[in-house]
Amino acid sequence: MNYTGYELIWLFFAYSFLGWILETIGAAARQRRFVNRGLVNAPLCVIYGVAAVMITMFGSGLSVFWLFVGSAILATVVEWIGGHVLERLYDEKWWDYSKVKWNLDGYICLPASLFWGFLGTTAFKLENPILLRLFHLLPQKAGEVVLLLLGAALIIDAVASIAIISGKSQWMDRWKSIDSWFTAISIRLGSWVYGWVGRRIERAYPRSVPRTKSRTKEKSFAAGCSPYKIILLFIIGSFLGDIVETVFCRVQAGYWMSRSSLVWGPFSIVWGGAIAAATVLLYKYKDRSDRFLFLMGTVLGGVYEYLCSVLSEMVFGTVFWDYSKIPFNLGGRINLLYCFFWGFAAVVWFKGLYPVLSLWIERLPERSGKWIVRVLAVFMCCNMAVSALALIRSDQRQRGVEAQYSWQKIMDERFDDERLEKIYPNAIRVSDD
């Protein structure tokens, strides 16, 4: 079943609310009083909504067994990433599975993963049809207005909550110097919300484990796991990944072919994204054993490649690889052999390549280093935007959509089917049937 964007947004809010009810009931049962377990002030646990939408998007066509496994893995990855993000923002853990068997640093554990698998399977098979029938009882325009209002309210709520809870309220000190009635009211309201949100978070997560702050200002450029370094690693990884795939295809197929993801230059953003994401997610584990890195790389790489395949099909109507003829594959999107390859790549990256590249990057002069990253980032953003437009227009041409707008005519002129076939020789058009 193909879901529309509005249906997915509706499911996100529905499951965020249902997740909030589940978490709040559980917390109240343990603490014998009502507490709001949502990150934002609204009655929503967005981590449930995100996981449910991902399972809904990527669960079509899977058997019950693989749906259970996929739900468990996807939800666990979401929970693991969410735990790290929250700790990064607030210097504390919001949940801790350290006392549960088979846990990973208290962020995730096997019993919780099995529970997520059960919830995901139940939601996909039973709850999704019911929720969508309820949603379609509303007139389409009314439903769109409701979702837009909910989306706007959630964005405002999330931005305000994150800014206040993380202490990013320096604006209040500046406003105190402005002698006006409106400013005084705003400051008082902001102070009240600040205190209320802080007390609510403390009540909701009494077992949160503070993290010792060890952030010190480094003199070297892009020290640690800084955004500048991650951007450079994404670009370097995209280039190196394209080279590796090109050579591999030459050896395997016997001829040279383009493996680039973008229309300008030899860049494979699947590789770049994988390297950047792996660095961010596994940075604190980079000194762990080879076995640990191999296992994490195998699981995360498989999930990542599967998501990339589904998203490219949903957005562009095209798949760029098909493993259907390789044993132990899942829907032709991933296979066990290449998942092991992701595991080996994680070990090689953290034990060999990353230390060298990280040292080189940190040796860049701070001023020139920042400008280099900014220029390259702008180029890559433009490259990805033009590539996306070219692929979207290619999909439109396949469906017989005439060029009406300027960007469509430019894409037809600069990136016709012949040129795109050279750039993406393995791209497979997905039938609308």
Side-chain angles (χ1 to χ4, degrees):
M1 176 181 179
N2 294 322
Y3 294 86
T4 66
Y6 279 108
E7 288 175 337
L8 291 175
I9 296 173
W10 161 249
L11 291 176
F12 166 78
F13 281 106
Y15 282 113
S16 294
F17 177 68
L18 293 174
W20 175 83
I21 292 177
L22 181 64
E23 285 284 327
T24 301
I25 292 175
R30 290 190 298 270
Q31 301 179 39
R32 298 296 187 270
R33 59 191 176 89
F34 173 77
V35 288
N36 185 351
R37 291 284 287 184
L39 169 60
V40 295
N41 296 312
L44 299 171
C45 270
V46 295
I47 192 170
Y48 281 83
V50 171
V53 169
M54 291 181 66
I55 293 169
T56 298
M57 292 172 61
F58 309 130
S60 298
L62 297 180
S63 65
V64 174
F65 172 77
W66 284 114
L67 180 61
F68 175 85
V69 173
S71 299
I73 294 175
L74 279 175
T76 300
V77 170
V78 171
E79 186 178 33
W80 186 61
I81 294 175
H84 281 82
V85 170
L86 289 171
E87 183 178 355
R88 179 78 175 177
L89 288 173
Y90 309 125
D91 294 303
E92 63 180 21
K93 286 184 178 180
W94 283 36
W95 58 84
D96 189 6
Y97 298 135
S98 298
K99 297 182 180 180
V100 181
K101 288 185 177 181
W102 301 298
N103 75 86
L104 178 59
D105 289 346
Y107 295 110
I108 56 177
C109 66
L110 182 59
S113 298
L114 296 177
F115 179 65
W116 299 137
F118 170 76
L119 283 184
T121 305
T122 303
F124 188 88
K125 291 294 186 180
L126 300 179
E127 296 176 20
N128 278 7
I130 297 174
L131 291 173
L132 290 178
R133 280 198 294 270
L134 292 175
F135 175 65
H136 288 303
L137 291 177
L138 288 173
Q140 182 175 353
K141 291 297 182 181
E144 293 176 358
V145 170
V146 170
L147 292 181
L148 287 174
L149 291 176
L150 288 174
L154 177 61
I155 291 173
I156 295 173
D157 192 1
V159 171
S161 296
I162 292 173
I164 293 171
I165 300 173
S166 59
K168 307 296 185 181
S169 54
Q170 294 86 350
W171 51 270
M172 294 176 64
D173 295 331
R174 299 194 187 107
W175 284 11
K176 290 180 180 178
S177 62
I178 303 175
D179 186 15
S180 69
W181 177 84
F182 178 77
T183 302
I185 294 298
S186 298
I187 293 174
R188 291 178 182 177
L189 179 61
S191 300
W192 177 79
V193 174
Y194 181 93
W196 177 62
V197 172
R199 291 190 298 270
R200 185 179 63 78
I201 293 298
E202 291 177 1
R203 290 196 302 268
Y205 296 89
R207 296 183 180 180
S208 60
V209 181
R211 183 182 66 178
T212 303
K213 292 188 178 181
S214 58
R215 300 178 194 173
T216 57
K217 188 175 182 180
E218 300 285 348
K219 294 183 179 180
S220 60
F221 169 69
C225 194
S226 72
Y228 283 107
K229 180 180 288 183
I230 297 302
I231 293 173
L232 275 180
L233 290 177
F234 168 76
I235 297 171
I236 295 172
S238 297
F239 175 76
L240 294 179
D242 183 86
I243 300 301
V244 169
E245 284 217 19
T246 300
V247 174
F248 178 78
C249 289
R250 175 66 178 85
V251 174
Q252 184 185 50
Y255 57 91
W256 297 103
M257 71 174 70
S258 170
R259 298 300 297 164
S260 177
S261 305
L262 305 178
V263 295
W264 295 328
F267 300 103
S268 175
I269 58 174
V270 173
W271 279 78
I275 286 176
T279 303
V280 172
L281 295 175
L282 299 177
Y283 179 77
K284 66 182 296 183
Y285 307 106
K286 66 182 186 300
D287 297 324
R288 297 283 290 268
S289 66
D290 293 353
R291 182 182 302 176
F292 176 85
L293 291 175
F294 174 80
L295 179 61
M296 295 298 293
T298 299
V299 175
L300 293 177
V303 171
Y304 174 76
E305 189 173 19
Y306 190 91
L307 299 185
C308 287
S309 175
V310 174
L311 286 175
S312 65
E313 181 178 339
M314 292 178 61
V315 177
F316 306 120
T318 302
V319 294
F320 297 95
W321 59 84
D322 183 9
Y323 303 140
S324 299
K325 297 181 180 180
I326 300 178
F328 306 107
N329 74 85
L330 182 59
R333 303 185 189 279
I334 59 174
N335 67 83
L336 187 60
L337 177 62
Y338 286 7
C339 286
F340 287 158
F341 178 79
W342 286 113
F344 285 117
V347 176
V348 172
W349 174 247
F350 282 108
K351 298 300 184 180
L353 295 178
Y354 173 77
V356 176
L357 291 175
S358 177
L359 184 61
W360 287 352
I361 292 173
E362 292 182 10
R363 286 177 176 174
L364 290 173
E366 184 176 3
R367 184 179 179 85
S368 58
K370 289 183 177 179
W371 276 108
I372 291 173
V373 174
R374 290 167 183 169
V375 171
L376 290 175
V378 171
F379 166 72
M380 289 298 287
C381 288
C382 294
N383 200 356
M384 288 188 287
V386 172
S387 302
L389 290 176
L391 289 170
I392 291 173
R393 180 56 193 148
S394 174
D395 178 57
Q396 292 179 344
R397 287 197 298 267
Q398 295 293 330
R399 292 185 286 107
V401 178
E402 297 292 334
Q404 298 180 353
Y405 303 101
S406 298
W407 73 269
Q408 294 173 319
K409 297 177 181 178
I410 293 174
M411 293 299 110
D412 287 347
E413 179 182 350
R414 301 291 178 85
F415 302 102
D416 56 16
D417 291 337
E418 183 178 356
R419 183 175 180 183
L420 290 182
E421 186 176 353
K422 293 180 180 179
I423 299 174
Y424 308 110
N426 288 336
I428 302 173
R429 168 71 184 171
V430 178
S431 175
D432 294 329
D433 298 335

